[in-house]
Amino acid sequence: MTVTTAPEAALGVLPRADGSAKYSHAGYTVTASVNGPIEAQRRDEHPYEAHVDVIVRPAAGVGGTRERHLESILQSSLTQIVLVKNFPRSLVQIVLQVEDAPENDYVNTKLVQASLNFAIMPALFQTSVLALLSAGVPMRATATATAVAIVSRDGTKTSVVDPSPRDVEIARSVHVLAFTSHDELLLAESEGDFTVQEWNHVYETAKDVCCRPVPTKEGMEMILDDEHTNGPDLRHFLRSTMENKVASDLHWK
Amino acid sequence: MADRRRINGPPGSTIPPVFEDDAGQPEIMNGKGRDRAPNTIRKMFLKTGVTPSASGSAYLEFEDSGKSGVSGLKLSCTVHGPRSLPRSSPFSPHIVLSAHIKYAPFATKQRRGYLRDPSERDLGTHLETALRGAIIADRWPKSGVDIIISIIEGDQDRETSKSQGDETWDMMNALSGCITVASAALADAGIDCVDTVAGGVAALVQDAGEDSTPRIVVDPIPSDHEKVLGACCIAYLPTRDEVTNLWFKGDLPASDAGLYTQLVENGMQASRNANRVLVECLGEATS
Amino acid sequence: MATATSSTGAPPPSLTFARPVFAKLSPHPYLLRTLSPDSPDQQPTRNNGRSPQQSRPIQINTSSLSQAHGSSLVRTGDTTVICGVRGELLPVTSIPQFRPHNGTLYDQDEDDEQRARKELRDYDLLVPNIELATGCAPQFLPGVPPTTLAQTLSTRVYSLLHGAGVVDGRGLRIWYTPENKKEEGDMDVKEEQEEEQKPEVVAYWVLYIDLLFVSFDGNPFDAAWAAVLAALRDTKLPVARWDPDREMVVCRKGGDKGLDIRGLPVACSAAVFLEKEHAEVGKGEGNRHWVLLDPDRSEEGLCKEVITVVVDCSEEETRVRSIEKQGGTVLGRELIRGFIGVAEGRWREVKEATGI
Amino acid sequence: MTSSQQVLLSPAELSYLHSSLSLTPPIRPDGRSPTQYRPLSAETGILPGTNGSARICFADGTEAIVGVKAEVEKTKRKWDDDAVYTENSHNDDEEQQQDGRGEASNGNGNSDWVELTVEIPGYRDDDPSTVFLAQMLSEALLADGGFIKKLRINRRFHWKLYLDILLISPPLSYPLPLLSLTTHLALLATRLPRLKSEGDEDPFFDDDWAAAPYLYSRNPTTKRIAERPPVTLLVMAVGGNIIFDPSKEELAVADVALAVSIGDATTSQRSQGEDDRMDVDSGNSGGRNLKLLSIRTVDPPSRLTPPGVANAANSAYGHAQVVNTGANQKMPEARQTESEAVEGVWKPPRGGAKAIVMGALVQKVLVRGGVADEVLDALEGVDTS
């Protein structure tokens, strides 16, 4: 069981892109670059709104059908939070490069795999949102995603936040949920064998991880002893990363 | 050949199942001869309008001859057009015809891949030649029409483990089916044609047994006969009595020319029969 | 079409379209008008006359192909898909990192069933592929590499095949028990002479699942998944055995045995149609929405948010096999739970369509 | 384009050409007689690194080079092969009798022992017209099956022949006749090393090139080549006339064009096991006994040429414009003006060709002493030492 390390992120890592971010969490490190809004190709030009184009490059080898599926999921979700109406006939291009994935000798390390990789989706999601923020693309809301796996170990069913590939392999079901900053459910991908109650429980866990109310300064201690907060507080993390970046950019003030 | 846009099978190559009995003694021709009269074609089922989202479509099925494992020919055709040409193409005073024929992976005994191989492109060229004669091209200047045919089941005999001769004879049957189904789909799409063109195949075959002299049969199934000496596939316009495409392959001595003209005549007879089915089907569609 | 109003007093021709022209010119307002009829007694209907919760009737017939080991044809409304399953043999020698069956360190804690599921995934024994470039819709023409939709459909079918564990991997193994050879066994694992040789796996069946869309009118995943399932149920694989003297797997004619398929997961999809398409929805204003079950091609073009739920109600308690919701924020927790109920209704429809 | 690149001829030129070609006797732009071939210079053995090569260039500068390479390849063991192998290994003499047993399938080999690729400058190799040419040439070669038998070394090995056909110059006229003649000569010049090993052991060859036998064996005494590779002739019909070896302009006005492949089975007895009925007149040992191997319809570019506009419908001549073209399809008399042929106005041919015309075309090629014999005699003149 990999210990749930806290996520780290750095913004503005790539000099040439409009915005870029590097995010690593639960063994996955992803770098994203955003070039927005730029001139679109004729075939994916839309008269009223910008076209969000997502390109996922895997850690090793060239992308297969799995990467196309990840791209279509990210594109449909990010189009909801970016204000696409403000930039008609233009293109917001997001390129995500997976730096490294948690290596694990139980799991088959075949290069081109076709089945959907659930564990990497939250990392890709967070990185693209951070990169969009760093690029200053106007957005309706920010969004955070998390992965939850229901693992049945000796009879009891426990839900594991940010599962390792080993957990994903022996899990009964794996879920990825994404919430916007208005606490709306943006994305729900689940697979495996579960009942509606289990899904409800997963929904609660994920909502707690993603949309924990931002603790005001004095309310800090009261949250800590809550018993089922077993995942990082992503929204808080997003806010603090941006705050540090803005602070470091404006240090000359 | 890992095509990264598709899910490829295991890296090691897989082998089609080899059956026990044909490994030992050879395939004995147990009374497989042809039960149809020499000049009757197999029963055909033709239906138009199977793909509402295309401008014209048709589905054709040759019934299989009832022997175990022999599969009939099943073709589905869609026509998209007349439609505007891409910006880069030069001006053309007539409709630009492009035909694509593709075997489905599960269509033949030997599993075919997803990329078109030369024999399918060759069939496409034959089909274009056959249809270009029939279409009144200069009524649709600056426009194009795409004819796409998927062969859902090729009429190959699954039981014969060893293929008698190469599979060109199956190609000819497939081409004659493609011509008929494409002509029905064109009519369904409302593209002006001079006449309905239908395909017919006639072959010079030699049956098992020493004394049998080669005879000419219509709509041959290669596995019914010991050896196919030659075959021709004709695309024929019945009311104008004209041939738009003739494809002959085989080994005929040039000295007795009567054999060749007989073969062509039988091919035209086969396409007249096929045309009757075509006209009747189009008649139903409009009434 | 705008006709200038002539000033000579002739009444300006009213701008009226036939219904299909209106639907083609501005589809969104047209669908909005039909969905929200002004008089309350009229039922909200869709362009194709269906009510929002009504799905298209499904017809499934199987074993229509003779060159494949199993085949099915599924027609839902105007979407028609043909699925052919063909089994081929994969000898163990040509599997790159093959882990022999007689157990290594990691396999202790898994039972055979889980091990079989891992084999399916590691050795690629199930190969689904979807062919859309058959001119089934104007936007899918041949000659171009598979579109993104074709690739995402293949990935979704592939991950659901493995995720739902429909095919039992143990049925694809071909065993062989080497008799007691006199000379010293050349196997690396030291084997005592007198103890009976353990059976070992010499080859696997690989199932090539090929889907061909004859006609495409929206909601391809439901039809594709129903076709895959029906074809797998219809698959009959010949009995295969290892022929030691010719070192190859030989099959016996007749005596074909079917695969055992576990459960009947059924996919059910819907799209969310929003009232305000272009205007940005302010924080406060409500934005009316309709959940359109089993959308066709024109409705899919108008809706961004789609949801697909795969349920299996074979046992008394409904097991959900997969949920995929993306492209919008309208469907929350309650709406998804309600939609799972709708999916159960769809499951019963498909169950008696497959006639099991 | 299907048969040749875009035809840059105006309707007036096309109608002039069509009318001059349909006269009796036809007047061809370059003054040739209907059955006269363009002069060509041919030579063989130009590429030392190949088993056989040839180069032909026409008077108008189009040139083709063909190289033939042969490699020994292990016959792909059909699963049941060795069972057959052990049973009747006694009769492994060169001519197996076709007894319909497993042997038959192994005896006459299969068509992928010959790989033929055509390269036309300016066209991709998966371009439909290039694929059509390659299929036509390989089809003619494999039609009678006799050629494959020559490639068989023993039961375990066979020769794999790679024919690379390159058109050096851009295709001024339809390249088919040029490519097929060059292939014919290259195959005649092909020599395979002499087999020194016996029976079914691993083949072992004599490296003396002079002793290497020809693929098409020569009659030791008369030095005449018994069986010759096939030749494909392009023949077209305009009006009532049949014209051979058409140039680009002539093909542009053709009503129908056929590619007829003929083989020559002069003295060698028919392929084994054939009853004698096929040998009708084996009397004249000297004369050539032609075989019809394959016919394909070449789609004439005339269907893709722009139509001329008759004076009646031409508003420039002051005639009231009949009615705008959009509606004229519906109006019966407009449709009538569109279809009936006005003298001197070019109209792309519609529909196909009469069956008797096609029959006449094939007869003209195959008649004894006709064009086929003339071409084969000319080719025989080229010394393929």
Side-chain angles (χ1 to χ4, degrees), chain B residues 121-122 125 128, chain D residues 1-2 124 126-133:
Chain B
R121 282 180 212 279
D122 189 32
T125 317
E128 267 175 32
Chain D
M1 294 305 296
T2 48
R124 287 161 43 108
D126 59 2
D127 193 83
S129 54
T130 323
V131 168
F132 190 75
L133 283 175

Side-chain angles (χ1 to χ4, degrees), chain C residues 210-269:
Chain C
D210 299 306
L211 285 136
L212 192 84
F213 269 83
V214 172
S215 152
F216 175 89
D217 187 22
N219 198 3
F221 183 71
D222 289 12
W225 178 251
V228 167
L229 219 54
L232 284 174
R233 249 172 225 295
D234 173 57
T235 305
K236 301 266 179 307
L237 290 177
V239 176
R241 62 170 177 77
W242 175 258
D243 185 339
D245 53 9
R246 264 212 303 275
E247 281 97 31
M248 65 169 192
V249 179
V250 170
C251 307
R252 202 150 24 84
K253 228 200 276 300
D256 295 0
K257 64 174 175 50
L259 293 171
D260 60 2
I261 305 294
R262 285 196 295 257
L264 174 68
V266 164
C268 174
S269 315

